[in-house]
């Protein structure tokens, strides 16, 4: 837990709205209160595990006809066996409308590296049983994480979550953001929603602005069977990306927020409140503070640092279009000057400083950064980017890949061919590529510490594996990026069928220096297994998101071994 002792945290949590029930050993086995008539239709969840604590979550929906302002009471049980024969902790919790009837218990005084089972109990209903696990203290041989991003309800069924829920050996599930999307009906990725039975409901059809809007969207997403199953199967460690607030959020605004949509910070506060209410998270600075970055220790094998590259410190992303004149000429000099500005930040100075200090003092064998946007350089020839902007052309791309392959094989290229390959620009200015000065600063710091660095990213909707290299071309670490659960990827933007997308994915690592692998068209998730001598990444893909009938269709696996 960053900057905060447990005692301070408890004080902060209690000082906010009394919204987290902290279970200390003193409270253990206290007499449960009489529970209310409730249902548990949004399932159960657990998260932010520590060596001795974990957050348990449910929503206790009051029975029809209940006075809406009345407090709602439930009891909860934590057991070391799934039949609840050996109950190790039991307590009561109260919730109400002020927190959307969500319930969070911070159960403390637990054993490390131990699986526990939990459930909530109302007057006449019990919740489903959830399984959770505390973090290991020491002496572990491996850590296994399932990694997700970009689950978009109208775009399809969350089969990737369902697939991962079938395994019961995850130490934790990392969610790197875009857990929900803020768009209304008719917005991004909603085209097939009605046809596949994923239309937004009548009372939540519009774009999200208010606390009620955001809460209803979380409630909708939590009806998905795959998402409920995965939450019940393993503890989540989550951070937001932009769509939990609004598209392309930065520290003082968002692409998808205009003045006529009201005050941005009021909207952001509503979004943050609903996120903290609905996610099984222990907000490091209390339930009203958007500072979400925090660390987790998996014995002496792995330190995980969850970062926020969107909300707390990001300067507004650059936009190629602002450097084009009316005739389409690109002002490269002005663009380069903006890119080189040392004051532009993605993390914000306090978070960067916290990360540098935390990395300096962390002693884990691996240092893992859990964050949103790609850190690896994806630099593409200018003419390829121009063609993307005009709607894409695979032949064009194939030609450039062919030229690059020839040059790598030592075949002579003409001057104009060389020029076509040499003039490259970052593909995505929204990613670390748009904040290259700060990235280099971070690389230099990590290189100086000589740590084993792994970065995970989401956001792009596609799978990527890159060797991270500093300005001198020295390897700093590796990056694995998760595909989306349902949001459309590159195949949709570039209108590629499966064959074209597969062909392009095979050529991209030839064209892009740091890139080792990518998948540009399949939905799924990523599994990472850390051992002392290396880390294995496995991307698992599902055959469809149009219905809940699905099969796993493909896997790709790579191992990064320490030399
Ligand atoms: Fe996304």
């Amino acid at each position: 837990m960053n900057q905060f002792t447990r005692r301070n945290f408890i004080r902060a949590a209690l000082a906010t709205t009394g919204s987290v029930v902290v279970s200390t050993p003193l409270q253990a086995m206290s007499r449960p209160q009489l529970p209310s008539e409730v249902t548990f239709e949004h399932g159960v969840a657990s998260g932010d595990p520590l060596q001795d604590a974990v957050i348990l979550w449910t929503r206790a929906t009051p029975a029809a006809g209940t006075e809406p302002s009345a407090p709602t009471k439930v009891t909860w049980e934590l057991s070391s066996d799934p039949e609840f024969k050996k109950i190790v902790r039991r307590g009561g919790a109260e919730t109400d409308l002020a927190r959307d009837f969500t319930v969070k218990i911070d159960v403390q005084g637990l054993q490390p590296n131990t699986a526990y089972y939990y459930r909530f109990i109302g007057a006449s209903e019990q919740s489903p049983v959830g399984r959770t696990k505390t973090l290991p203290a020491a002496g572990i041989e491996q850590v296994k994480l399932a990694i997700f991003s970009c689950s978009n309800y109208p775009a399809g069924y969350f089969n990737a979550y369902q697939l991962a829920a079938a395994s019961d050996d995850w130490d934790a599930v990392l969610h790197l953001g875009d857990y929900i999307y803020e768009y209304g009906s008719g917005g991004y990725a909603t085209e097939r929603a009605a046809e596949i039975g994923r239309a937004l409901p009548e009372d939540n059809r519009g774009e999200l602005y208010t606390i009620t809007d955001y809460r209803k969207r979380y409630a909708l997403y939590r009806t998905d069977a795959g998402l409920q199953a995965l939450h019940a199967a393993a503890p989540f460690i989550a951070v937001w990306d932009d769509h939990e607030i609004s598209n392309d959020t930065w520290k003082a605004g968002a692409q998808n927020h205009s003045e006529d949509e009201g005050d941005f910070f009021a909207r952001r506060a509503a979004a943050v409140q609903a996120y903290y209410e609905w996610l099984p998270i222990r907000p490091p600075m209390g339930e009203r503070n958007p500072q979400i970055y925090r660390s987790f220790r998996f014995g002496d094998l792995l330190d995980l640092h969850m970062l926020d590259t969107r909300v707390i410190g990001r300067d507004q992303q650059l936009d190629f279009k602002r450097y084009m004149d009316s005739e389409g000429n690109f002002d490269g000099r002005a663009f380069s000057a903006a890119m080189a500005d040392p004051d532009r930040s993605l993390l914000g100075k306090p978070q960067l400083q916290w990360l540098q200090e935390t990395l300096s003092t962390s002693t884990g064998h691996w240092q893992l950064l859990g964050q949103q946007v790609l850190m690896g350089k994806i630099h593409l020839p200018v003419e390829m980017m121009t063609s993307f902007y005009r709607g894409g052309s695979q032949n064009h791309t194939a030609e450039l890949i062919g030229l690059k392959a020839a040059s790598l094989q030592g075949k002579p290229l003409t001057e104009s061919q060389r020029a076509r390959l040499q003039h490259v620009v970052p593909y995505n200015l929204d990613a670390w590529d748009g904040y290259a000065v700060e990235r280099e600063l971070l690389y230099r710091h990590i290189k100086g510490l000589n740590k084993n660095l792994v970065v995970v990213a989401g956001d792009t909707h596609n799978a990527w594996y890159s060797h991270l290299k500093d300005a001198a071309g020295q390897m700093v670490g590796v990056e694995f990026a998760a595909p989306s659960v349902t949001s459309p990827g590159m195949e949709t933007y570039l209108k590629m069928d499966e064959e074209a997308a597969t062909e392009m994915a095979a050529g991209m690592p030839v064209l892009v220096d740091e890139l080792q692998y990518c998948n540009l068209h399949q939905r799924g998730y990523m599994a990472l297994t850390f051992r002392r001598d290396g880390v294995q990444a496995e991307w698992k893909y599902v055959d469809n998101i149009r219905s809940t009938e699905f099969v796993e269709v493909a896997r790709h696996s790579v191992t990064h071994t320490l030399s």
Side-chain angles (χ1 to χ4, degrees):
M1 188 176 289
N2 65 75
Q3 302 169 332
F4 240 45
T5 63
R6 168 73 43 68
R7 194 180 298 266
N8 283 341
F9 162 70
I10 293 169
R11 225 179 277 140
L14 294 175
T16 51
T17 54
S19 49
V20 180
V21 175
V22 180
S23 149
T24 63
L26 282 176
Q27 275 179 289
M29 311 301 273
S30 67
R31 205 173 176 74
Q33 53 213 318
L34 213 54
S36 315
E37 279 295 347
V38 294
T39 56
F40 298 101
E41 59 215 56
H42 301 100
V44 295
S46 71
D48 278 19
L50 303 174
Q51 276 82 14
D52 62 349
V54 70
I55 299 276
L56 307 181
W57 180 99
T58 194
R59 182 171 192 260
T61 309
T66 309
E67 168 60 41
S69 60
T72 296
K73 292 170 183 169
V74 292
T75 56
W76 57 272
E77 292 175 339
L78 185 85
S79 170
S80 55
D81 67 298
E83 287 82 36
F84 291 82
K85 287 183 186 132
K86 291 177 229 143
I87 292 176
V88 294
R89 206 58 61 77
R90 176 186 281 138
E94 196 175 293
T95 182
D96 58 23
L97 191 62
R99 53 187 336 245
D100 202 18
F101 299 100
T102 58
V103 177
K104 260 193 215 182
I105 318 286
D106 195 351
V107 190
Q108 304 188 356
L110 302 176
Q111 294 302 308
N113 204 27
T114 303
Y116 291 99
Y117 300 84
Y118 61 96
R119 65 186 175 192
F120 295 85
I121 301 159
S124 50
E125 264 208 42
Q126 275 189 18
S127 75
V129 172
R131 178 192 177 277
T132 192
K133 196 180 174 191
T134 48
L135 296 187
I140 39 150
E141 312 231 303
Q142 69 165 47
V143 168
K144 214 174 153 188
L145 305 172
I147 299 171
F148 293 85
S149 69
C150 299
S151 37
N152 187 322
Y153 183 95
Y157 290 89
F158 297 158
N159 294 337
Y161 290 141
Q162 190 69 262
L163 182 64
S167 301
D168 65 357
D169 60 346
W170 304 118
D171 288 292
V173 171
L174 267 50
H175 203 293
L176 304 178
D178 288 358
Y179 183 98
I180 60 160
Y181 282 73
E182 85 280 16
Y183 295 109
S185 187
Y188 168 73
T190 60
E191 298 83 3
R192 291 189 324 191
E195 175 199 332
I196 61 173
R198 297 282 270 188
L200 296 171
E202 206 55 59
D203 69 347
N204 192 229
R205 295 201 72 171
E207 191 175 321
L208 312 180
Y209 302 111
T210 67
I211 181 68
T212 308
D213 297 340
Y214 283 102
R215 282 170 168 173
K216 282 183 176 169
R217 192 60 55 89
Y218 282 101
L220 169 71
Y221 275 53
R222 280 291 180 81
T223 60
D224 181 275
L227 181 52
Q228 282 201 11
L230 187 57
H231 270 303
F236 270 50
I237 297 174
V239 281
W240 48 55
D241 195 1
D242 51 339
H243 289 287
E244 284 87 350
I245 296 122
S246 190
N247 184 50
D248 285 355
T249 296
W250 54 286
K251 70 181 178 189
Q255 178 276 328
N256 187 26
H257 183 86
S258 50
E259 263 173 40
D260 61 351
E261 292 176 321
D263 178 47
F264 171 74
F265 290 101
R267 182 182 190 178
R268 189 180 87 171
V272 166
Q273 185 185 337
Y275 185 86
Y276 285 160
E277 284 170 356
W278 279 82
L279 271 288
I281 184 174
R282 184 186 296 108
M285 303 299 279
E287 304 263 340
R288 290 289 185 271
N289 190 324
Q291 183 181 313
I292 198 174
Y293 55 85
R294 61 209 194 280
S295 293
F296 297 87
R297 206 157 186 218
F298 293 75
D300 55 1
L301 187 59
L302 171 73
D303 290 318
L304 165 64
H305 313 292
M306 299 297 278
L307 306 180
D308 169 10
T309 61
R310 287 286 181 192
V311 174
I312 202 119
R314 172 190 280 253
D315 287 308
Q316 190 169 17
Q317 35 277 67
L318 297 178
D319 184 349
F320 282 120
K321 279 184 236 132
R322 267 187 254 146
Y323 298 89
M324 301 267 203
D325 66 17
S326 54
E327 276 140 41
N329 299 310
F330 182 62
D331 186 349
R333 187 171 296 198
F335 175 74
S336 300
M339 281 286 279
D341 179 356
D343 289 333
R344 286 188 71 245
S345 181
L346 185 62
L347 298 173
K349 292 279 173 333
Q351 183 177 200
L352 177 63
Q353 200 183 347
W354 166 83
L355 179 60
Q356 288 175 324
E357 285 168 9
T358 306
L359 286 168
S360 298
T361 54
S362 293
T363 53
H365 184 66
W366 294 95
Q367 298 296 313
L368 173 61
L369 305 185
Q371 49 98 56
Q372 298 75 36
V373 291
L374 284 185
M375 195 174 280
K377 295 184 195 80
I378 310 280
H379 289 184
L380 297 176
V382 172
E383 63 173 285
M384 195 166 154
M385 287 295 290
T386 317
S387 115
F388 282 176
Y389 272 99
R390 292 191 189 120
S393 154
Q394 283 88 58
N395 289 338
H396 198 80
T397 304
E399 205 182 303
L400 286 161
I401 291 168
L403 281 179
K404 183 70 184 279
S407 102
L408 290 173
Q409 286 159 14
K411 291 185 183 151
L413 299 185
T414 67
E415 203 167 310
S416 75
Q417 285 172 329
R418 270 203 304 277
R420 289 177 71 188
L421 292 175
Q422 268 163 7
H423 294 133
V424 294
V425 282
Y427 162 65
N428 186 1
L429 296 172
D430 188 37
W432 282 90
D433 261 343
Y435 301 81
V437 175
E438 187 167 281
R439 175 174 60 193
E440 197 58 30
L441 208 65
L442 184 59
Y443 281 179
R444 213 178 307 153
H445 182 78
I446 291 165
K447 196 90 183 116
L449 295 170
N450 202 20
K451 303 269 176 170
N452 299 321
L453 176 75
V454 175
V455 176
V456 288
D459 177 64
T460 70
H461 306 170
N462 295 116
W464 311 88
Y465 168 38
S466 291
H467 286 170
L468 302 177
K469 291 180 181 169
D470 64 13
Q474 296 280 318
M475 184 107 161
V476 180
V478 291
E479 177 177 56
F480 304 110
S484 66
V485 173
T486 60
S487 285
M490 197 90 95
E491 81 290 352
T492 304
Y493 305 129
L494 299 183
K495 302 182 183 74
M496 297 184 286
D497 62 15
E498 187 168 350
E499 199 186 328
T502 306
E503 197 180 311
M504 186 168 166
M508 284 286 279
V510 178
L511 203 57
V512 180
D513 294 334
E514 295 188 3
L515 189 63
Q516 311 298 308
Y517 162 76
C518 66
N519 178 301
L520 302 178
H521 72 289
Q522 283 174 301
R523 311 283 81 86
Y525 77 100
M526 184 168 78
L528 286 192
T529 308
F530 288 87
R531 296 189 184 88
R532 238 149 237 286
D533 60 348
V535 51
Q536 187 205 39
E538 199 165 22
W539 289 267
K540 305 183 188 200
Y541 303 105
V542 296
D543 70 334
N544 86 91
I545 52 170
R546 287 170 161 263
S547 89
T548 51
E549 300 291 313
F550 75 96
V551 287
E552 185 186 339
V553 279
R555 284 185 187 200
H556 182 82
S557 174
V558 298
T559 301
H560 165 62
T561 310
L562 291 176
S563 47

